[in-house]
Amino acid sequence: MEEGDPTLRLRIFDLNCWAIRYLSKWRQERVRLIGDMLLQDSFDLVLLQEVWSEQDYSDLKEKLRGCYPFSHYFHSGVIGSGLCVFSRFPILDTLLYQYSLNGYPYMLQHGDWFCGKSVGLVVTKISGIIFNVYVTHLHAEYCREKDVYLPHRLVQAWELAQFIRHTSGAADVMLLGGDLNMHPGDVGIRLLRGWTGLRDAFTEAARFEGCEDGCTLIPNNRFTVKAELLPFPQGVRIDYILYKAISSVTVKCEELKTTTGTAPGMDIPFSDHEAVMVTLHIQRQGQAAGDNLSTTEPALVDVVTETRTEVVVGLRAAQQQRHSTGRMAALALLLLLLQAAAALGALAGLVAGQPFPKLSFSLLAFLAIGVLLLATGLHLFHTMEVKMLQGTEEQMRMALRVLRERPSDG
Amino acid sequence: MEEGDPTLRLRIFDLNCWAIRYLSKWRQERVRLIGDMLLQDSFDLVLLQEVWSEQDYSDLKEKLRGCYPFSHYFHSGVIGSGLCVFSRFPILDTLLYQYSLNGYPYMLQHGDWFCGKSVGLVVTKISGIIFNVYVTHLHAEYCREKDVYLPHRLVQAWELAQFIRHTSGAADVMLLGGDLNMHPGDVGIRLLRGWTGLRDAFTEAARFEGCEDGCTLIPNNRFTVKAELLPFPQGVRIDYILYKAISSVTVKCEELKTTTGTAPGMDIPFSDHEAVMVTLHIQRQGQAAGDNLSTTEPALVDVVTETRTEVVVGLRAAQQQRHSTGRMAALALLLLLLQAAAALGALAGLVAGQPFPKLSFSLLAFLAIGVLLLATGLHLFHTMEVKMLQGTEEQMRMALRVLRERPSDG
């Protein structure tokens, strides 16, 4: 691809790297393998997720300096966002948007809350065309049958779509890569695509090579949890590259490839996810893609309504938890006050003798203080959750109003 | 102002309402007064901050339904963002961006952390012109001589500028109103204005009426803390309305007014802040304002460098606090382990008799657990703080690189 060329061929690599320090198997070997492959097979843009160790990022950066001189790591949360981008072309600007909801701090076994899940934006200009490149990772789905995180993931999908819509005004092309933790037909994907007009590189690709149906989490990968994939013998597709031409530019997907359970020519995989590799063909003189919204408006109203229903279900659950944690805090406070009254009573000599053994009395007080602090913390957390779910629900209601009014407008 | 008119006269009202439930004096009376005035004196856009009680918002909404049929409250944090907008024209879309840093949760007397300080965006279309209206409230300055919150406020100013730049691509005019908690010459204001090209309505206004120098926190207001204003006998200007024309539209500030210590015709003020009222004159056929960045680039490099230096100072302090809280957590853990060893020793009969009084032994253990939990929490918090300051510092370094390279580019 040359500067000034009227047509542009852009190669993009996307992978959830599963590089969690101390927890992910063969992490350092796999990161080294990813770096080797990126050096050999030169891409224009590399979008990575779950690079949790900043040391791994620094190592990759050092290794790839010659081929991908520009890069950015998105910091967020306690551990980091895990998101980073390597680019052959100068990165002109970046912005990070942290999702307002991201699971629960007390679900330690599902560490999502600590990761500060976000969407990162990188702006780059290639042959005079401005690209807004988004990379993200949404909340994991731990149990598809009873998915308690669905409202949070839908709030994230909504915020992602809103962030993309609002920040892409000055761009010619937008690209989104990442682990969306949603199957292609899920309401969140339909919402994201409908609300932004993004196209799915997999369905648009002229040529395809890789796992059946483009799956990116497959039983054939030695690191995937086989039990989770039992209902899906071929695997699932949850990693995506999406794109949209905004101004007078056309974008076509020439080719999409995935790895197939191992790194090419090796016997270990890059990650528990398969990599997605896309070749886009970008032409300047083409017709503008136009506002995709108008063509799909009735369907879009349905999708937003469906999402809103799920968000309201989440809102009810959050309100209930706010209520029950508040009640628990109140009970703990009551117990403490009773103990204080009893202790004061004993001190003032109103009660004869020493009515309670000291040790269990003070243990009980400490227990009450512990419960009070914990329940108050949870109550505050669920209050925030309620507010964010309410806010999203209101935004969706406004979106529905605008969607319904639009035909009468113009 | 009529639909379709080639020139547009837009009246904007901005006020930090100081409406904290239980804490702010005469809150309900003042909110009622604000509502009455907004009904009498009809504005096009009303930008309010510190409306912490959603009940106050609902009351205002109900009261203003006829005159300002469109409104939005931005939910965020435990208490809320306090930000809301009332509009005579349909609100088409909204987006909230929560700042990544906002003070410390343990500074309870400075409640900023709990407020989830944010910038809210409201998109509206008036006579075919798209307005991006931003409303925000940055971290308060409690002590100007030793301002420990300066790095956090500068991160917020940077994120505000970045958010505005990235989201305004599709707008014709951008407007920002709010309590920025910075004086006109402060580095954060210079950064915000330089990095976005926003103009200050006060300095641009053809007519001015109000407090000297446009001050919005004045000793003459009965609710201001007089001691804080001792070094500034006239008061300080920390509430702003800023604007910028993006596409082929010109915007001029015809008039700026402030209240002067009391609500007009009354003997109590609306708030501890003065209201800022602006009349803008917007013309379609004008020349595009152009990219203001290019004209001020050398100065901009200096401002970004100055801000970056302050952010690095904050980074060093955060790293030190992360270190000391980590050490405290480690010591508490050590104490607990020693106690556990002693208790096990006593149980196993290795130590003759009962070496410690049970009560003080268990109290010490509870104390150690308390310190461990607290220090771990603080350590995690300061780790996040370090990451966000690092991330901002990196973004600023990138901005400086792009600014310095730009002349050689074109």
Side-chain angles (χ1 to χ4, degrees):
Chain A
M1 196 239 58
E2 300 298 319
E3 278 278 335
D5 195 331
T7 71
L8 188 71
R9 192 160 274 113
L10 207 66
R11 298 194 63 218
I12 303 153
F13 179 91
D14 173 83
L15 175 65
N16 177 329
C17 298
W18 189 49
I20 313 167
R21 231 198 290 216
Y22 316 120
L23 287 177
S24 300
K25 283 177 200 151
W26 298 356
R27 192 189 99 242
Q28 283 161 310
E29 291 81 355
R30 291 187 294 102
V31 170
R32 209 173 306 129
L33 215 59
I34 293 168
D36 290 342
M37 188 274 308
L38 290 175
L39 271 186
Q40 269 174 35
D41 198 354
S42 81
F43 292 89
D44 297 295
L45 285 166
V46 176
L47 313 178
L48 303 181
Q49 302 99 50
E50 289 209 2
V51 180
W52 296 119
S53 147
E54 286 189 36
Q55 190 54 51
D56 284 346
Y57 168 72
S58 301
D59 292 349
L60 276 175
K61 189 176 167 177
E62 192 50 49
K63 187 174 197 165
L64 302 176
R65 195 175 287 280
C67 231
Y68 307 86
F70 304 95
S71 65
H72 188 75
Y73 187 86
F74 290 98
H75 300 270
S76 111
V78 180
I79 304 177
S81 70
L83 307 171
C84 60
V85 173
F86 292 90
S87 166
R88 276 184 56 205
F89 301 95
I91 293 175
L92 300 177
D93 209 343
T94 66
L95 187 65
L96 183 76
Y97 183 94
Q98 201 168 332
Y99 299 123
S100 61
L101 287 178
N102 187 34
Y104 303 97
Y106 50 84
M107 297 300 265
L108 291 175
Q109 76 280 30
H110 302 159
D112 297 65
W113 187 82
F114 292 92
C115 307
K117 290 260 165 74
S118 314
V119 47
L121 160 62
V122 153
V123 181
T124 176
K125 197 174 181 176
I126 309 177
S127 297
I129 298 171
I130 296 175
F131 287 83
N132 268 22
V133 182
Y134 301 89
V135 56
T136 195
H137 185 186
L138 303 193
H139 198 290
E141 182 187 77
Y142 292 99
C143 170
R144 197 166 171 82
E145 287 66 50
K146 198 176 175 320
D147 182 12
V148 289
Y149 298 109
L150 180 63
H152 284 210
R153 201 180 309 105
L154 288 178
V155 168
Q156 294 183 345
W158 172 259
E159 289 179 344
L160 172 60
Q162 284 285 80
F163 181 73
I164 290 175
R165 282 179 68 227
H166 282 285
T167 54
S168 55
D172 298 308
V173 176
M174 54 204 207
L175 294 173
L176 165 62
D179 175 0
L180 302 181
N181 271 312
M182 301 186 283
H183 299 198
D186 285 358
V187 61
I189 288 282
R190 285 181 283 132
L191 176 79
L192 173 66
R193 292 194 44 205
W195 198 229
T196 57
L198 281 165
R199 286 154 188 268
D200 185 344
F202 173 74
T203 54
E204 304 279 332
R207 276 197 309 281
F208 169 72
E209 204 177 295
C211 302
E212 207 167 340
D213 293 333
C215 290
T216 58
L217 212 57
I218 58 170
N220 232 353
N221 180 311
R222 73 160 75 173
F223 295 129
T224 53
V225 182
K226 303 302 171 286
E228 283 176 6
L229 288 172
L230 274 184
F232 308 100
Q234 285 174 16
V236 295
R237 182 158 78 94
I238 59 173
D239 299 84
Y240 296 81
I241 291 178
L242 307 171
Y243 63 86
K244 184 185 173 186
I246 301 168
S247 63
S248 56
V249 161
T250 48
V251 180
K252 284 191 182 124
C253 181
E254 278 191 3
E255 189 183 57
L256 186 141
K257 281 186 183 182
T258 71
T259 51
T260 52
T262 53
M266 310 290 288
D267 56 353
I268 72 159
F270 287 136
S271 163
D272 59 347
H273 286 244
E274 303 306 314
V276 182
M277 291 157 283
V278 149
T279 307
L280 296 181
H281 186 264
I282 294 148
Q283 218 158 358
R284 224 177 210 298
Q285 304 89 340
Q287 295 290 309
D291 191 1
N292 301 32
L293 281 182
S294 53
T295 57
T296 55
E297 247 163 56
L300 191 51
V301 168
D302 292 344
V303 174
V304 177
T305 308
E306 190 179 340
T307 315
R308 198 184 141 211
T309 311
E310 292 292 349
V311 170
V312 170
V313 169
L315 178 60
R316 296 282 165 273
Q319 282 168 332
Q320 222 158 44
Q321 284 184 297
R322 178 175 64 171
H323 181 75
S324 61
T325 49
R327 204 175 39 194
M328 196 184 292
L331 286 175
L333 187 65
L334 193 71
L335 178 60
L336 265 182
L337 290 176
L338 284 175
Q339 282 202 294
L344 279 176
L347 272 179
L350 295 176
V351 183
Q354 190 179 322
F356 319 106
K358 257 190 193 163
L359 179 65
S360 46
F361 189 82
S362 53
L363 281 180
L364 188 64
F366 272 109
L367 189 71
I369 290 173
V371 171
L372 177 62
L373 288 178
L374 194 70
T376 306
L378 287 175
H379 181 69
L380 290 179
F381 178 82
H382 288 299
T383 302
M384 269 199 271
E385 191 190 6
V386 164
K387 284 203 190 282
M388 299 322 300
L389 287 165
Q390 257 173 355
T392 307
E393 195 272 331
E394 276 168 28
Q395 275 189 44
M396 287 177 177
R397 231 186 309 146
M398 181 188 297
L400 286 170
R401 175 177 59 73
V402 172
L403 277 176
R404 283 183 186 126
E405 277 172 7
R406 203 176 290 178
S408 66
D409 250 4
Chain B
M1 196 240 59
E2 301 296 319
E3 279 277 335
D5 195 332
T7 72
L8 188 72
R9 191 160 274 113
L10 207 67
R11 298 194 64 219
I12 304 153
F13 178 90
D14 174 82
L15 176 64
N16 176 331
C17 298
W18 189 51
I20 312 167
R21 230 197 290 217
Y22 315 118
L23 288 178
S24 300
K25 282 177 200 152
W26 298 357
R27 192 188 98 243
Q28 283 161 312
E29 291 80 355
R30 292 187 293 102
V31 170
R32 208 174 304 129
L33 214 59
I34 293 168
D36 291 343
M37 188 274 308
L38 290 175
L39 271 185
Q40 270 174 34
D41 197 355
S42 80
F43 292 89
D44 298 294
L45 284 166
V46 177
L47 314 178
L48 304 180
Q49 301 99 52
E50 289 208 3
V51 181
W52 296 120
S53 146
E54 286 188 37
Q55 190 54 49
D56 285 345
Y57 168 73
S58 302
D59 293 349
L60 275 175
K61 188 177 166 176
E62 191 51 47
K63 187 173 197 166
L64 303 176
R65 194 176 288 282
C67 231
Y68 306 87
F70 304 94
S71 66
H72 188 75
Y73 186 86
F74 291 96
H75 300 272
S76 109
V78 179
I79 304 176
S81 69
L83 307 171
C84 61
V85 173
F86 292 90
S87 166
R88 277 183 57 205
F89 302 94
I91 292 175
L92 301 177
D93 208 343
T94 66
L95 187 64
L96 183 76
Y97 183 95
Q98 201 168 332
Y99 299 123
S100 61
L101 287 178
N102 187 33
Y104 303 98
Y106 49 84
M107 297 300 265
L108 291 174
Q109 77 279 31
H110 304 158
D112 297 66
W113 187 82
F114 292 93
C115 308
K117 290 261 165 71
S118 313
V119 47
L121 161 63
V122 153
V123 181
T124 177
K125 197 175 180 176
I126 309 176
S127 295
I129 298 172
I130 296 175
F131 287 82
N132 268 23
V133 182
Y134 301 89
V135 57
T136 195
H137 185 186
L138 303 194
H139 198 291
E141 182 187 75
Y142 293 98
C143 171
R144 197 166 171 83
E145 287 66 50
K146 200 179 174 315
D147 183 11
V148 290
Y149 298 111
L150 180 62
H152 284 209
R153 199 180 312 104
L154 288 178
V155 168
Q156 294 183 346
W158 172 259
E159 289 179 345
L160 172 60
Q162 284 285 79
F163 181 72
I164 290 175
R165 283 179 67 226
H166 282 286
T167 53
S168 56
D172 297 309
V173 176
M174 54 204 207
L175 294 172
L176 166 62
D179 175 0
L180 302 181
N181 270 313
M182 300 186 285
H183 299 199
D186 286 357
V187 59
I189 288 281
R190 286 182 280 132
L191 177 79
L192 173 65
R193 292 194 44 206
W195 197 229
T196 58
L198 281 164
R199 287 153 187 271
D200 185 345
F202 174 74
T203 54
E204 304 278 332
R207 277 199 309 281
F208 169 71
E209 204 177 294
C211 301
E212 207 168 339
D213 294 333
C215 289
T216 58
L217 212 57
I218 56 171
N220 231 354
N221 182 310
R222 74 160 75 172
F223 295 130
T224 52
V225 182
K226 302 301 171 286
E228 282 176 8
L229 288 173
L230 274 184
F232 308 100
Q234 286 176 14
V236 293
R237 182 158 77 94
I238 59 174
D239 299 83
Y240 297 82
I241 292 179
L242 307 171
Y243 63 86
K244 183 185 173 186
I246 301 168
S247 64
S248 55
V249 162
T250 48
V251 181
K252 284 192 182 121
C253 182
E254 278 190 4
E255 189 182 56
L256 187 140
K257 282 186 184 181
T258 71
T259 51
T260 52
T262 53
M266 310 290 288
D267 56 353
I268 71 159
F270 287 137
S271 161
D272 59 347
H273 287 243
E274 302 307 313
V276 181
M277 292 157 284
V278 148
T279 307
L280 296 181
H281 185 264
I282 294 148
Q283 216 158 359
R284 224 177 211 297
Q285 303 90 340
Q287 295 292 308
D291 192 2
N292 301 32
L293 280 183
S294 52
T295 57
T296 55
E297 246 160 57
L300 191 52
V301 167
D302 292 344
V303 173
V304 176
T305 307
E306 190 179 338
T307 315
R308 198 185 140 208
T309 310
E310 293 292 349
V311 169
V312 170
V313 170
L315 178 60
R316 296 283 165 270
Q319 282 169 332
Q320 220 159 46
Q321 286 184 296
R322 178 175 63 171
H323 181 75
S324 61
T325 49
R327 202 176 40 192
M328 195 185 293
L331 285 175
L333 187 65
L334 192 70
L335 177 61
L336 266 182
L337 290 176
L338 282 175
Q339 284 202 293
L344 280 177
L347 274 179
L350 296 176
V351 183
Q354 192 177 320
F356 319 105
K358 255 189 193 162
L359 180 66
S360 46
F361 189 81
S362 54
L363 281 179
L364 187 64
F366 272 109
L367 187 73
I369 291 173
V371 171
L372 178 63
L373 288 178
L374 194 70
T376 306
L378 287 175
H379 181 69
L380 291 179
F381 178 81
H382 287 297
T383 302
M384 269 198 273
E385 191 191 8
V386 164
K387 284 203 190 284
M388 298 323 300
L389 287 165
Q390 259 173 353
T392 307
E393 195 272 331
E394 275 168 29
Q395 274 188 46
M396 287 177 176
R397 230 185 311 146
M398 182 189 297
L400 286 170
R401 175 177 58 72
V402 172
L403 277 177
R404 285 186 185 125
E405 278 172 7
R406 205 177 288 179
S408 65
D409 249 4

